[in-house]
Amino acid sequence: MSNLKTLLLILNLLLVPVALSEPEAIQKLLRRLDSKRAPASVQEAAAKAVLKRLLPAHEASFVFKIVPKDVCRGHSCFKLHNYNLSSQHGPQIIIEGTTGVELASGLHWYLKYWSGAHISWDKTGGTQIASIPNPGYLPPVKDEGITIKRPVPWNYYQNVVTSSYSFVWWDWERWEKEIDWMALQGINLPLAFTGQESIWQKVFMDFNISKENLNDFFGGPAFLAWARMGNLHAWGGPLSQNWLDKQLVLQKQILSRMLELGMTPVLPSFSGNVPATLKKIRPSANITRLGDWNTVNGDPRWCCTYLLDPSDPLFVELGAAFIKKQIKEYGDVTDIYNCDTFNENSPPTTDPAYISSLGAAVYKAMSEGDKDAVWLMQGWLFYSDSAFWKPPQTKALLHSVPFGKMIVLDLFADVKPIWNTSSQFYGTPYVWCLLHNFGGNIEMYGVLDAVSSGPIDARISKNSTMVGVGMCMEGIEHNPVVYELMSEMAFRSEKVYVQEWLKSYSRRRYGKAVHQIDAAWEILHHTIYNCTDGIADHNTDFIVKFPDWDPQVNPRSNISRHNLLQMLLRIDVKRRSLLQDTSSDLPQAHLWYSTQKVIKALKLFIDAGSEFAGSLTYRYDLVDLTRQVLSKLANQAYLDTVIAFRRKDVNAYRLNSQKFVQLIRDIDELLASDDNFLLGTWLESANKLAVNPRERRQYEWNARTQITMWYDTTKTEQSKLHDYANKFWSGLLESYYLPRASAYFNHLSKSFTEDESFKLEEWRKEWILFSNNWQSGNDIYPVKAKGDALAISKSLYEKYFS
């Protein structure tokens, strides 16, 4: 009987239209989205405004023109032509494109490959535009012009948690720069999640839920992403009405600019996450409570959120109301909506029929709000919970909606692609994505060869259903080389020869070619940016993720340093976070390359320093590379400290523990020499959004907590997510990581001098109390750099490696 009921539910929900083939379905979607775009004149003006903000002196040097897709045989494309070579006072280059994004992408392509310019985030060095000739002297393109087509329709951008790790404290000024960057990189399918709590407030109030009853539903500003996904509730909250209102205004500005440039924003939708009070208001509704997600002890204040079952009619009613409310507030701006069901929470049953009913309900809720809705979902669950998502369950979810109405993000395709083990997601259109970064950690890391070839291999594979490329990093503003190459893959139809591309990249980034820099990047390509061990990137360096464990183990007679080192370097490929298991013999730091080779690359960078006086891009890379090298040296110093402790070698213990602490001080001084590695700017941006003392305290606590303990603690048990979003920032090292390490070593020293066992619980009490006090603090940290980065880097190289 129950199987029949489920079957009838599925049939009722699906309402499947006449099936379309994959190319027909996608082409129909593309035509519909094209019809929603702003007029050509608006997109041309928006592209010109990007140029004016980037190169105001060259505003008259370029002409922008929107052209139909017919000129590129139905593809999105841009074209570069010479306009008037004889004049030094008028336009010189005409850029044609199918959308405003294509126009901006064409501008970027020209600036890179004809003028040697470089554009990256301000916090990774910003622009290098000194190489661009003055107006009237721009280099011509070849007579017949240049045409660049997109091999796949979409270039997607963002992870659902980027909004919390990177965007949380942004104002319109910062968002305007980001949207310019998106357009220049060719991003035409960005996530647009800002302000959704304000929409939910309006929706829930229509269902008789008061503003006050939402205080324990929404998370705090720095934790909104996880409240949205149903991982937690109330943590870091409540949200003020001021926050809700301002974020809605900001979202409208963001959407307006995206639309002017011809982007298709991806809006949120309903996955079943509801406030607790809905159980009282609708007692007959089928609402269940999910399990614990990373709390210390299941504290109900923020643990175990409530899920409305998809079989309940209220599910579709609520979901459709949310879509309609967005359309009322923003207009008919998109047909693509994101929904991630059971993100890091498994469904209550493996029954494919149930999973299919879930998917059908999610889609019906969208389609009742927008009849042309398309569901875009992150494919992270198929990797992170692969034990649950076997082929029957995966197919049930992917095939629960009409064909062409779902697009999957192959979120971790740079390391763990799903498309090639799932028969192209069982025929479902998907986007090949780079995940790359967890928690916004600052770690030089990448797999450039996979980036340069992976999207090509996927697109040309048999029966490919790939419809886009994407960048889904959890946090941004780091590793600019990785993101520049990945952005180019949206326009590349053939594999990129990385070594040659890097030579061009370094010339553009620093404004000139220097042989030491070319040699350094060749080393970095084959070391730091060649991580092929399949490990999820997550910075576990001991400075920023200090091991909370008892180093005293059952003594093994004369265990050698070599054997301990091998233990340290063993990697558990099944775990994403490598330091949470205190029962293992030794903590593990992810190391995938020869440190000696990278030290050589650092020396080459330093030797080239005289060539780059005043270069912000060079300074950023020098500081980051020096930090990378010293952080690995600190890992070794920590290991040597543990070895000495176990051998009861007091002198070696003292020497190496002091070296570890000194390295923290030295790295802090190094990071202080570049504006982009400062704790102060993160805290200042949080405080600027506050309108009263209560908000200021709350926002700063959110900002401090996310980058340290992250989540809840007891007096003796630290957060399960401690240091997940760790940062190498000056100010944070000196005021947080240094006292923590010093306290830990003091406890170890006490066990030496008093010949007693290491008291782990006492150490934890001290650490947690210290951290709680730091999180609640309001000390002011510098927001401007001090010191000469090159001189400091040289000095540290001589100190540690000469």
Side-chain angles (χ1 to χ4, degrees):
M1 186 65 182
S2 61
N3 288 339
L4 178 61
K5 183 179 178 181
T6 301
L7 179 60
L8 291 172
L9 173 66
I10 296 170
L11 292 173
N12 179 56
L13 288 171
L14 280 176
L15 301 176
V16 181
V18 176
L20 295 172
S21 69
E22 186 263 323
E24 289 174 329
I26 295 302
Q27 287 304 315
K28 183 178 179 182
L29 170 61
L30 290 171
R31 287 193 296 271
R32 193 167 64 249
L33 294 174
D34 286 343
S35 71
K36 294 176 180 284
R37 297 199 200 284
S41 59
V42 172
Q43 295 185 62
E44 290 165 357
K48 190 162 187 175
V50 173
L51 168 63
K52 186 176 182 180
R53 287 188 288 273
L54 180 65
L55 295 170
H58 290 75
E59 184 181 2
S61 300
F62 297 87
V63 172
F64 295 107
K65 183 181 179 182
I66 293 290
V67 295
K69 285 183 177 179
D70 295 349
V71 302
C72 290
R73 297 182 179 179
H75 292 270
S76 296
C77 68
F78 61 79
K79 291 173 170 279
L80 308 177
H81 297 280
N82 298 316
Y83 186 83
N84 186 353
L85 294 179
S86 61
S87 172
Q88 294 184 359
H89 302 289
Q92 288 186 270
I93 303 294
I94 181 168
I95 302 174
E96 298 176 328
T98 49
T99 69
V101 170
E102 261 61 34
L103 296 178
S105 302
L107 172 65
H108 190 200
W109 203 271
Y110 175 82
L111 295 177
K112 285 202 294 188
Y113 289 111
W114 276 266
S115 298
H118 173 76
I119 298 165
S120 66
W121 290 298
D122 285 352
K123 286 187 73 66
T124 57
T127 61
Q128 184 292 112
I129 55 177
S131 61
I132 301 175
N134 290 330
Y137 298 93
L138 293 175
V141 299
K142 57 187 180 181
D143 291 340
E144 62 271 26
I146 302 294
T147 299
I148 304 291
K149 300 178 184 178
R150 288 186 190 267
V152 285
W154 288 300
N155 188 359
Y156 173 82
Y157 180 53
Q158 292 177 42
N159 190 295
V160 294
V161 302
T162 320
S163 56
S164 290
Y165 283 133
S166 293
F167 305 158
V168 52
W169 311 121
W170 286 7
D171 56 14
W172 169 242
E173 181 182 3
R174 178 62 187 86
W175 262 111
E176 183 174 54
K177 289 183 178 181
E178 189 70 9
I179 298 171
D180 283 356
W181 179 88
M182 290 184 206
L184 291 163
Q185 305 298 331
I187 292 162
N188 59 6
L189 190 67
L191 210 58
F193 265 26
T194 302
Q196 63 176 280
E197 284 69 30
S198 182
I199 302 293
W200 274 121
Q201 183 188 62
K202 295 173 188 293
V203 170
F204 283 129
M205 287 176 67
D206 289 343
F207 283 78
N208 298 317
I209 296 175
S210 68
K211 293 179 180 180
E212 292 71 28
N213 282 332
L214 294 174
N215 284 343
D216 68 349
F217 179 62
F218 298 137
F223 301 96
L224 287 177
W226 299 276
R228 292 166 180 170
M229 292 185 288
N231 301 130
L232 53 79
H233 63 99
W235 180 252
L239 295 178
S240 68
Q241 193 61 46
N242 168 65
W243 171 274
L244 293 166
D245 293 344
K246 284 189 171 184
Q247 290 292 295
L248 183 61
V249 171
L250 180 59
Q251 170 75 336
K252 291 179 179 180
Q253 291 176 294
I254 292 167
L255 288 173
S256 177
R257 182 59 53 80
M258 287 178 174
L259 295 171
E260 289 170 6
L261 284 161
M263 297 177 183
T264 298
V266 179
L267 292 177
S269 62
F270 181 54
S271 64
N273 185 30
V274 293
T277 192
L278 189 63
K279 282 181 68 69
K280 298 176 182 177
I281 294 172
R282 297 288 186 96
S284 63
N286 187 1
I287 298 173
T288 57
R289 199 160 193 183
L290 292 175
D292 184 21
W293 183 83
N294 287 313
T295 63
V296 169
N297 60 0
D299 193 321
R301 288 177 294 172
W302 34 80
C303 164
C304 312
T305 56
Y306 291 88
L307 184 76
L308 177 61
D309 194 277
S311 65
D312 195 299
L314 182 59
F315 187 101
V316 173
E317 187 181 351
L318 261 174
F322 181 68
I323 298 292
K324 290 176 182 177
K325 190 70 73 174
Q326 288 185 114
I327 293 173
K328 181 180 179 180
E329 289 286 339
Y330 309 143
D332 184 13
V333 299
T334 189
D335 288 331
I336 303 184
Y337 300 91
N338 168 265
C339 182
D340 294 309
T341 53
F342 295 105
N343 182 73
E344 299 186 1
N345 276 313
S346 296
T349 173
T350 59
D351 180 7
Y354 172 82
I355 293 169
S356 186
S357 69
L358 165 71
V362 169
Y363 176 69
K364 189 178 183 193
M366 289 182 196
S367 61
E368 293 233 340
D370 178 350
K371 65 181 176 58
D372 296 316
V374 174
W375 176 3
L376 181 138
M377 66 170 288
Q378 293 192 151
W380 175 251
L381 70 170
F382 301 132
Y383 163 76
S384 66
D385 197 6
S386 58
F388 178 92
W389 292 100
K390 300 299 184 184
Q393 290 75 32
T394 303
K395 287 180 184 178
L397 182 58
L398 297 178
H399 293 171
S400 64
V401 304
F403 189 82
K405 295 296 187 179
M406 176 182 281
I407 301 170
V408 182
L409 301 177
D410 196 355
L411 205 72
F412 204 14
D414 52 320
V415 175
K416 297 286 186 183
I418 303 297
W419 68 266
N420 58 357
T421 59
S422 65
S423 300
Q424 307 274 350
F425 287 96
Y426 305 106
T428 304
Y430 75 94
V431 177
W432 193 103
C433 294
L434 168 86
L435 180 51
H436 184 260
N437 175 272
F438 293 105
N441 301 150
I442 296 173
E443 169 86 340
M444 294 181 76
Y445 160 88
V447 196
L448 292 181
D449 290 341
V451 170
S452 69
S453 61
I456 309 299
D457 291 336
R459 181 176 58 82
I460 65 176
S461 63
K462 186 178 181 180
N463 299 321
S464 176
T465 58
M466 177 179 160
V467 293
V469 296
M471 296 187 291
C472 302
M473 62 291 252
E474 288 192 353
I476 65 168
E477 298 177 318
H478 52 78
N479 289 286
V481 64
V482 174
Y483 299 111
E484 176 146 343
L485 179 58
M486 187 63 226
S487 295
E488 282 196 15
M489 299 313 294
F491 297 99
R492 296 281 189 178
S493 57
E494 296 180 353
K495 296 179 182 181
V496 175
Y497 182 54
V498 175
Q499 197 56 55
E500 287 303 311
W501 184 88
L502 281 172
K503 288 181 180 179
S504 172
Y505 169 83
S506 65
R507 285 195 296 270
R508 297 193 308 271
R509 182 156 170 80
Y510 312 123
K512 65 173 76 171
V514 176
H515 74 273
Q516 292 104 321
I517 294 294
D518 284 346
W521 271 107
E522 184 171 0
I523 293 172
L524 296 179
H525 172 208
H526 296 295
T527 53
I528 284 176
Y529 291 109
N530 186 39
C531 183
T532 58
D533 59 16
I535 305 304
D537 171 48
H538 190 179
N539 182 2
T540 52
D541 288 338
F542 296 148
I543 288 177
V544 290
K545 189 150 189 174
F546 200 75
D548 175 55
W549 72 309
D550 183 351
Q552 291 182 141
V553 296
N554 294 325
R556 308 178 203 181
S557 55
N558 298 320
I559 186 167
S560 70
R561 184 183 186 282
H562 173 76
N563 287 339
L564 279 173
L565 183 60
Q566 293 308 305
M567 280 186 242
L568 179 69
L569 298 181
R570 281 203 302 269
I571 306 290
D572 177 0
V573 298
K574 294 182 180 179
R575 288 188 298 156
R576 181 169 141 197
S577 180
L578 302 177
L579 284 180
Q580 293 175 7
D581 181 4
T582 59
S583 66
S584 60
D585 183 69
L586 281 175
Q588 300 166 343
H590 186 197
L591 184 63
W592 64 95
Y593 60 84
S594 163
T595 55
Q596 290 303 310
K597 290 180 180 178
V598 175
I599 291 169
K600 182 179 178 181
L602 173 59
K603 181 64 165 59
L604 289 165
F605 249 87
I606 292 171
D607 289 346
S610 60
E611 298 279 351
F612 299 114
S615 170
L616 299 182
T617 47
Y618 168 79
R619 185 181 73 181
Y620 174 88
D621 288 350
L622 175 67
V623 170
D624 202 20
L625 182 56
T626 308
R627 174 211 56 75
Q628 180 84 8
V629 167
L630 293 179
S631 68
K632 305 310 173 191
L633 182 63
N635 290 343
Q636 179 184 320
Y638 177 78
L639 174 64
D640 290 339
T641 302
V642 172
I643 294 168
F645 178 82
R646 288 181 170 181
R647 291 176 172 172
K648 300 190 181 299
D649 185 338
V650 176
N651 291 331
Y653 167 81
R654 195 169 292 150
L655 175 68
N656 288 294
S657 61
Q658 289 174 355
K659 181 178 181 180
F660 184 87
V661 168
Q662 186 59 46
L663 276 162
I664 298 178
R665 292 194 177 99
D666 288 340
I667 296 174
D668 190 277
E669 180 188 10
L670 168 75
L671 297 174
S673 67
D674 189 288
D675 294 327
N676 305 304
F677 295 95
L678 303 179
L679 169 65
T681 56
W682 170 253
L683 299 181
E684 181 187 56
S685 63
N687 286 321
K688 278 184 175 180
L689 292 187
V691 298
N692 55 52
R694 188 197 69 78
E695 282 190 355
R696 183 185 177 94
R697 287 192 299 272
Q698 180 192 18
Y699 295 176
E700 181 151 354
W701 183 91
N702 269 254
R704 286 169 172 255
T705 297
Q706 189 206 82
I707 60 175
T708 53
M709 275 296 188
W710 206 105
Y711 208 10
D712 63 341
T713 69
T714 63
K715 289 184 178 180
T716 59
E717 190 171 355
Q718 78 284 6
S719 165
K720 292 182 179 179
L721 295 174
H722 73 79
D723 299 303
Y724 179 84
N726 64 70
K727 302 291 188 293
F728 270 101
W729 283 341
S730 177
L732 187 59
L733 270 75
E734 185 74 29
S735 70
Y736 188 82
Y737 298 137
L738 177 60
R740 182 174 69 177
S742 296
Y744 182 77
F745 289 141
N746 286 340
H747 279 268
L748 288 182
S749 297
K750 185 178 179 181
S751 70
F752 259 137
T753 57
E754 299 182 8
D755 194 24
E756 59 184 21
S757 61
F758 174 69
K759 293 181 170 54
L760 179 62
E761 190 167 294
E762 287 188 12
W763 145 246
R764 282 183 176 165
K765 283 182 181 177
E766 182 176 341
W767 169 24
I768 293 167
L769 178 61
F770 162 76
S771 185
N772 288 340
N773 290 335
W774 190 91
Q775 290 162 233
S776 300
N778 59 5
D779 298 340
I780 297 174
Y781 295 89
V783 294
K784 294 294 182 184
K786 63 177 181 180
D788 183 328
L790 179 57
I792 294 170
S793 183
K794 279 182 178 178
S795 174
L796 293 175
Y797 183 90
E798 292 297 322
K799 179 176 181 178
Y800 290 108
F801 304 114
S802 62

